[in-house]
Amino acid sequence: MFDNKDKTEINELGEFGLIAHLTKTVELTEPSTVKGIGDDAAVLDFSDKKTLISTDLLLEGIHFDLRYVPLKHLGYKAVQVNLSDIYAMNGKASQITFSIGLSSKFPLEAVEEIYEGALIACKKYNVDLIGGDTSASAQGLVISVTSIGYAEAAKIAYRSGAKEGDLLCVSGDLGGAYVGLQLLEREKQIFLENPQIQPDLEGKDYIVERQLKPEARKDVVELFEIYGIQPHAMIDVSDGLASEILHICNASKVGCKLYEDKIPIDPMTYDTAREFGLDPTVCALNGGEDYELLFTVPQEQYDKVKNQLDITIIGYITEEAAGCEMISKSGNVHPIKAQGWNAFKGADR
Ligand code: ADP
Ligand code: MG
């Protein structure tokens, strides 16, 4: 994706020079940040709130493929997927640390792009970059992001809080990131076989963006606050709807009924899945990387959630003994299984 001629070698700057260079535009805006970059540790103050912390490790070749992921998008996505975990607790994200391991193939300009993307995400989501670590790596690019946030103790939504009779709800739509990945993989193969052919992603912006540039659902957590919605249980959809439903049901010791015809799938996701000979429902259930929020609310809150345009009620919570089941469009009942169609998942995910 980048050629190294006329590029700056990182060694020319040294580690401290590199950190100073990458973080020179960092501004702190969060009241809870007492001290950011520049000392041995950052200092935060959440006074009477509980602190939320989550970390992700992203490895080149395992979690991303630089043959089709632009570096700026990678920096952006690395931050988004991590913030998503804080929102999934019904919290506010306030800080991140961003750590990178770089092999010698990366010039300064490549790292600048990664940071540009990361800092755009921080700014857009009002999150302070308060530190990180920088190291050489023997092979490939390594990124680790830790996000920090806070919430009132009573508002934290654990996976374990779902109760029998709760409505099962999801934000946005599902399956798009997975179908977008299929499209990018196909174009990569065509390119590898014939570099003369330009990628044909025209008209597919939505699903390509769902894969390359996901948006964590900060807005949904804000909407809960505005409308006084308190989810009993919540999780973000990173590994596919089926897997996340099972996480909530197992942690909460409950069962559920999921209605296939209620699963929100964007028309572009639907049509493109069909073009690939894939079942759109399977893409939503097992695809992953949608970073939507899956949550349960007590039935009394039905009126509050039913009119939210970007929230869909997809089922309800039952007693544990009833199991976790999906009612198909034709009315058949199937047990929900995580990644039952594993064979069709991308090899590098
Ligand atoms: P130490 O030797 O104590 O680990 P470093 O020299 O690694 O200190 O880091 C100095 C400061 O720069 C710290 O505040 C650290 O959090 C910050 N820092 C280091 N690497 C990064 C990075 N990749 N992004 C943001 N801040 C960083
Ligand atoms: Mg360090």
Side-chain angles (χ1 to χ4, degrees):
M1 282 285 168
F2 46 86
D3 72 62
N4 281 10
K5 74 172 160 6
D6 306 326
K7 295 287 158 77
T8 316
E9 274 224 37
I10 283 177
N11 289 345
E12 291 173 26
L13 276 161
E15 185 189 331
F16 298 127
L18 175 65
I19 296 168
H21 179 75
L22 293 174
T23 60
K24 66 174 186 274
T25 61
V26 167
E27 285 172 37
L28 303 179
T29 57
E30 247 295 315
S32 55
T33 309
V34 178
K35 172 74 191 174
I37 292 167
D39 214 310
D40 297 310
V43 181
L44 308 178
D45 179 2
F46 295 108
S47 56
D48 56 343
K49 304 285 199 299
K50 298 289 179 209
T51 309
L52 307 170
I53 300 187
S54 179
T55 294
D56 279 321
L57 182 60
L58 300 170
L59 306 176
E60 182 180 349
I62 306 286
H63 302 100
F64 55 88
D65 184 335
L66 290 179
R67 283 172 296 188
Y68 55 72
V69 179
L71 291 166
K72 196 163 145 184
H73 286 69
L74 181 64
Y76 188 87
K77 180 169 174 176
V79 174
Q80 291 296 341
V81 305
N82 208 250
L83 297 181
S84 178
D85 286 318
I86 300 291
Y87 302 132
M89 300 303 285
N90 202 27
K92 294 197 168 69
S94 45
Q95 290 87 10
I96 62 157
T97 65
F98 197 94
S99 301
I100 38 177
L102 298 160
S103 67
S104 55
K105 74 174 177 184
F106 292 93
L108 175 66
E109 287 76 5
V111 196
E112 282 175 343
E113 275 186 50
I114 297 170
Y115 261 75
E116 202 185 327
L119 289 173
I120 290 172
C122 287
K123 198 158 192 180
K124 190 161 167 196
Y125 282 70
N126 286 322
V127 168
D128 288 347
L129 176 68
I130 55 154
D133 202 16
T134 309
S135 170
S137 126
Q139 226 176 14
L141 175 63
V142 181
I143 297 178
S144 178
V145 182
T146 297
S147 55
I148 300 153
Y150 58 92
E152 273 171 46
K155 294 210 167 148
I156 297 176
Y158 295 93
R159 295 177 179 184
S160 56
K163 301 268 181 301
E164 190 179 341
D166 279 3
L167 304 169
L168 183 63
C169 311
V170 72
S171 65
D173 57 75
L174 301 172
Y178 179 76
V179 179
L181 179 67
Q182 302 315 301
L183 207 59
L184 289 165
E185 288 276 357
R186 182 181 71 186
E187 295 309 315
K188 179 180 86 182
Q189 286 311 327
I190 293 173
F191 178 79
L192 289 176
E193 280 155 31
N194 186 350
Q196 263 47 273
I197 300 178
Q198 287 302 305
D200 178 18
L201 300 169
E202 202 164 307
K204 301 288 191 187
D205 306 22
Y206 179 67
I207 53 175
V208 170
E209 281 211 358
R210 292 289 285 169
Q211 171 57 224
L212 292 182
K213 201 173 156 292
E215 298 289 336
R217 298 309 303 261
K218 178 183 195 239
D219 58 326
V220 172
V221 172
E222 288 167 353
L223 183 139
F224 290 160
E225 173 115 35
I226 293 166
Y227 291 91
I229 297 168
Q230 175 59 49
H232 271 168
M234 186 148 66
I235 190 169
D236 65 331
V237 183
S238 53
D239 291 331
L241 179 64
S243 164
E244 314 306 355
I245 286 179
L246 293 177
H247 279 310
I248 285 188
C249 288
N250 290 337
S252 301
K253 300 196 170 24
V254 294
C256 74
K257 293 279 179 286
L258 165 70
Y259 292 91
E260 182 187 6
D261 63 346
K262 302 281 188 231
I263 299 173
I265 297 177
D266 181 84
M268 190 186 293
T269 303
Y270 192 95
D271 294 344
T272 313
R274 285 277 179 234
E275 280 171 35
F276 277 95
L278 299 171
D279 178 344
T281 299
V282 175
C283 295
L285 286 173
N286 294 330
E289 293 204 283
D290 289 310
Y291 300 105
E292 295 296 340
L293 294 174
L294 173 74
F295 57 97
T296 80
V297 294
Q299 274 177 44
E300 303 83 80
Q301 301 205 343
Y302 173 71
D303 284 333
K304 290 183 183 170
V305 293
K306 73 162 195 251
N307 293 326
Q308 304 299 339
L309 286 178
D310 212 19
I311 289 177
T312 312
I313 301 171
I314 55 174
Y316 62 93
I317 299 296
T318 63
E319 59 168 341
E320 187 174 23
C324 297
E325 294 178 332
M326 181 173 83
I327 322 299
S328 76
K329 288 178 184 166
S330 52
N332 295 322
V333 178
H334 305 273
I336 297 173
K337 292 197 204 110
Q339 292 166 22
W341 290 265
N342 222 342
F344 100 173
K345 289 199 106 170
D348 60 353
R349 292 192 55 233

